[in-house]
Amino acid sequence: MPDHYKIDPLTRFDLDDILMLIAQKKYFILHAPRQTGKTSSLLALRDYLNKKNEYYAVYTNVEVGQTTRNDVDEAIFAIIGRISSDFGDKSDWKRFIDGRSAHEALTEYLKFLAEISPKPVVLMIDEIDALVGDSLISVLRQIRAGYDKRPGSFPQSIILCGVRDIQDYRIHTSGKEVITGGSAFNIKAKSLRLGNFSRAEVEELLLQHTVETGQKFEEGVFDYVFDQTDGQPWLVNAIAYEATWEIRANRDRSVLITAEMMEEARNNLVISRATHLDQLAFRLTEDRVKKVILPMINNEESIAADEDDRQYCIDLGLLKKTPHGLEISNPIYREIIPRELTTSRQEYFLSYFKPDWIRDDGSLDSDLLVRMFVTFWRENSKIWASDISGYEEAAPHLVFQAFLQRVANGNGTVYREYGLNRGRTDLMLKWGKPFAPEEQRIVIELKVLRPKDGLETKKKQAIEQTLDYA
């Protein structure tokens, strides 16, 4: 079997648009959240351009300069060395450092490469946002300094690739000055964003497994995977791999992969705290992310975070724009966020509560489980609220969701809907065998009653919202 199934990377963006920008000698941005296929797309573009033989396309990754922080000399030294290796330059590139300011060495080296190349150079710089402070500013300004010399004495086109559009950067120098990315790189012609897989691409990717192994997928699987991931490439691949390889019984290729199996794979993935999901959880500790996520969890009608913070969360892939406003990007992320914020207390629920809410026939007594939680919260709220650093205001919502995870443990799934300016957190607990007609679906609208609120008004509002969600 192949090492990987994949969607043609050149279909992930508008190739004609990119070729036009290169032909017009433009410098531009390609950005997308992490693990969405940016590097694969750049490498495919490099190979495509070199095969056409009109340009000499070079891909380089400047993450090597990340550890240098504000040490411009070390950063530029490392970056020139990496570009030299990727370009295939056999000359002594260190001469561009010796006796020359680091703030002009990169410009001079790129000028040298453009002049020795028999074809116009197209330079793709990946992980540009791995650089910080003075180092990042120096790189951007040195690229800008050679712009008017292209294509004979500077690359014809430069593509900068990272998580964010550079114009949104707020770069902090060692002298405490704040420089915007737009001012440091004001020669940018366009900003392109690499999107998620479409529903058709999700199906295409999974069917490659069928072609290779003969193992088939139930029709509902494609919709389920797309709905749960919103086409996020890493999630799509991870769920499919979990279902077809990690679940041992499914390695028998005569087994039909069902939507129920995919739900099991999805839940396994969430519990495993895989690298991608762990990185997502780490972002929740950032102040600018808290400013956006906290009001969403806390059912607030308005949000104090500024537009730059919201855009930052979109660029990270945490949020997406919808007709209803900003929402968490997909159901898996919606589950990961409250799970991670209460992870230190998750195991406590397993020992504290006995599952008395399960009736003799195996169904759930939803009234009883809510009463048990209310009693628990009244006794323990101060302890739990102080344990959720940075998200104390949302403690009732977060702890109740952690409690629902305990209820669902092994026999159910919790689904969540929350977004900016919606004023609500909609929860649904599916209990019983997934996708089976006999499963229970319990819809919950969680409200915090404050002294200024009228109980009856709050109840009426909650009932209307619950009916709307249901």
Side-chain angles (χ1 to χ4, degrees), residues 70 72 133-135 137 171-179:
N70 281 307
V72 177
D134 296 342
S135 298
I137 293 170
I171 309 167
H172 297 267
T173 72
S174 57
K176 309 301 182 184
E177 185 183 3
V178 178
I179 305 292

Side-chain angles (χ1 to χ4, degrees), residues 220-229 259 262-263 266 415 435:
V221 165
F222 309 123
D223 286 332
Y224 178 79
V225 172
F226 182 70
D227 290 343
Q228 288 297 305
T229 65
M262 278 296 180
E263 182 161 66
R266 173 231 189 252
Y415 291 88
F435 303 101

Side-chain angles (χ1 to χ4, degrees), residues 79-186:
I79 291 168
I80 291 178
R82 176 55 58 88
I83 294 174
S84 172
S85 175
D86 293 329
F87 190 88
D89 175 26
K90 304 298 183 183
S91 67
D92 179 19
W93 56 267
K94 294 181 181 180
R95 71 184 189 276
F96 289 92
I97 296 291
D98 296 337
R100 179 181 279 117
S101 167
H103 290 290
E104 61 179 3
L106 179 60
T107 300
E108 290 301 313
Y109 185 67
L110 293 180
K111 177 176 180 290
F112 164 74
L113 293 183
E115 290 176 347
I116 66 170
S117 174
K119 291 174 287 190
V121 173
V122 175
L123 179 61
M124 306 170 191
I125 302 179
D126 201 0
E127 299 287 354
I128 186 67
D129 48 1
L131 304 177
V132 297
D134 296 342
S135 298
L136 176 56
I137 293 170
S138 181
V139 169
L140 296 178
R141 286 178 171 168
Q142 289 193 67
I143 292 173
R144 185 180 66 185
Y147 182 71
D148 61 348
K149 300 178 180 67
R150 73 201 195 287
S153 295
F154 217 66
Q156 161 137 341
S157 183
I158 292 181
I159 306 171
L160 299 183
C161 186
V163 171
R164 305 190 67 199
D165 185 345
I166 283 180
Q167 75 173 19
D168 297 325
Y169 286 17
R170 300 294 181 267
I171 309 167
H172 297 267
T173 72
S174 57
K176 309 301 182 184
E177 185 183 3
V178 178
I179 305 292
T180 63
S183 64
F185 194 70
N186 57 8

Side-chain angles (χ1 to χ4, degrees), residues 183-211:
S183 64
F185 194 70
N186 57 8
I187 53 175
K188 181 197 76 172
K190 199 166 187 178
S191 179
L192 307 175
R193 192 177 193 274
L194 199 65
N196 287 345
F197 291 154
S198 65
R199 193 276 186 196
E201 287 174 326
V202 169
E203 182 171 351
E204 177 188 341
L205 190 69
L206 268 61
L207 287 179
Q208 289 179 30
H209 176 75
T210 301
V211 171

Side-chain angles (χ1 to χ4, degrees), residues 250-268:
N250 294 349
R251 295 175 189 172
D252 178 351
R253 299 313 177 194
S254 67
V255 172
L256 176 69
I257 303 297
T258 65
E260 180 180 347
M261 294 172 182
M262 278 296 180
E263 182 161 66
E264 179 185 354
R266 173 231 189 252
N267 293 338
N268 290 348

